[in-house]
Amino acid sequence: MIRKAQMIDLNQIFDLYVIARQFMIQTGNPYQWKDGYPEKKLLAKDIQCQQLYVYETNQIHGVFALIIGEDPTYAYIEQGQWLDDSPYGTIHRIASDGTIHGFFGQVIDFASNKIAHLRIDTHADNAIMQHVIGKNQFQYCGIIYVRDHQPRLAYERI
């Protein structure tokens, strides 16, 4: 079941990101979420803004932010272009404990029911995420730059 995250979930959510960062390091992607990103302060803000969601059975197994509306980091794209300028939702900070098969697809189904036009980005070293993004009918659009001015591969699904 996917539901909005609550403040009481914050420590469990943070633990998922610790697992995800370790997995990313082990699979050749040590730089995407360096320095403890995402911080608890950012996650708490996501919860307050009601844009952080968890996947839960008997415990929380996955987490992601779905932000509907313009994303400032997506305003500038290079080496390509967006497919559509209509309103969109952005999926950020997706992570799981690795126990749920097809978690990414379930997130996309959930998000698509909220808004059909979706965008997402990932680090060039994150081959696993690039694979699941492509598997879920996203198209590569170009390069964007995130908050710390690092490049990310940007994708869109309309």
Side-chain angles (χ1 to χ4, degrees):
M1 169 179 97
I2 294 177
R3 64 167 175 82
K4 286 185 179 174
Q6 301 171 7
M7 282 300 177
I8 196 168
D9 302 321
L10 190 56
N11 286 333
Q12 256 189 297
I13 289 167
F14 192 74
D15 290 346
L16 282 178
Y17 286 109
V18 171
I19 293 168
R21 280 192 298 273
Q22 187 60 39
F23 178 77
M24 290 165 76
I25 290 167
Q26 292 170 349
T27 57
N29 182 23
Y31 304 111
Q32 184 168 351
W33 285 352
K34 62 184 188 253
D35 302 326
Y37 180 85
E39 303 86 4
K40 277 190 180 179
K41 182 179 174 182
L42 175 60
L43 300 172
K45 181 181 175 199
D46 282 342
I47 292 170
Q48 289 171 344
C49 293
Q50 298 188 23
Q51 60 192 22
L52 195 68
Y53 295 85
V54 295
Y55 180 95
E56 177 181 64
T57 55
N58 57 342
Q59 68 182 50
I60 295 173
H61 294 282
V63 61
F64 64 97
L66 173 61
I67 303 165
I68 297 175
E70 287 191 31
D71 185 325
T73 60
Y74 286 25
Y76 173 75
I77 187 167
E78 64 181 31
Q79 297 180 26
Q81 64 184 22
W82 295 115
L83 304 173
D84 191 300
D85 290 330
S86 65
Y88 61 91
T90 307
I91 297 169
H92 284 298
R93 299 182 279 287
I94 186 167
S96 80
D97 62 9
T99 63
I100 302 299
H101 179 71
F103 172 63
F104 187 86
Q106 291 178 49
V107 168
I108 299 308
D109 289 345
F110 176 86
S112 294
N113 284 326
K114 301 269 183 202
I115 187 164
H117 183 187
L118 297 172
R119 291 181 180 174
I120 194 168
D121 64 84
T122 194
H123 194 281
D125 291 341
N126 197 338
I128 293 170
M129 184 58 75
Q130 291 173 49
H131 172 75
V132 296
I133 288 170
K135 186 177 171 182
N136 283 274
Q137 293 81 43
F138 282 82
Q139 291 183 271
Y140 175 74
C141 292
I143 297 173
I144 57 110
Y145 292 86
V146 293
R147 61 173 172 65
D148 62 356
H149 309 290
Q150 295 297 310
R152 295 291 185 267
L153 306 177
Y155 300 83
E156 187 169 37
R157 175 178 151 157
I158 48 177

